[in-house]
Amino acid sequence: MEWQQEQQQQHDPPAAAALAWQQQQAALAWQQEQAALVWQQEQAALAWQQEQAALAWQQEQQQAAAAALAWQQEQAALAWQQEQQQAAVVPASIDEGDQVVP
């Protein structure tokens, strides 16, 4: 290939210039393709990061909801306990007939 280029350059300078221009264009096209591939990889990485952040946020929301539900259940259990204790210690009053009435 190099020998062919040298022969063309010696006998046909315009053809040699055209060949050099074609090679330069091919190199530029290759560089652009490489840049596009790098850009695509970066976009894919960014999309993956966003997806991971969204998943982490969802998990945090689910954990917060579970914690809120656990707190509500605990409050309900405490309220029920308190009601049971109050029902067990109802003060008795003496009726006119000396009966203890709750």
Side-chain angles (χ1 to χ4, degrees):
M1 178 93 177
E2 288 182 29
W3 179 82
Q4 194 176 15
Q5 274 185 320
E6 288 176 17
Q7 292 302 313
Q8 284 180 343
Q9 287 175 353
Q10 291 173 0
H11 299 295
D12 192 358
L19 180 61
W21 183 83
Q22 285 176 342
Q23 289 173 336
Q24 185 181 14
Q25 293 308 302
L28 288 173
W30 183 84
Q31 285 177 340
Q32 287 175 338
E33 189 177 331
Q34 296 308 302
L37 289 173
V38 168
W39 183 83
Q40 284 177 340
Q41 288 173 339
E42 288 174 358
Q43 295 309 299
L46 288 172
W48 183 84
Q49 285 176 340
Q50 288 175 338
E51 189 177 332
Q52 295 307 301
L55 289 172
W57 182 83
Q58 277 182 336
Q59 192 173 20
E60 287 174 8
Q61 297 307 302
Q62 289 171 348
Q63 288 172 348
L69 180 60
W71 183 83
Q72 285 177 340
Q73 289 172 337
E74 187 179 339
Q75 295 306 304
L78 289 173
W80 181 83
Q81 263 184 339
Q82 193 174 19
E83 287 174 11
Q84 296 305 309
Q85 290 171 351
Q86 287 175 352
V89 187
V90 172
S93 64
I94 303 221
D95 197 348
E96 292 176 4
D98 284 331
Q99 284 185 316
V100 176
V101 177

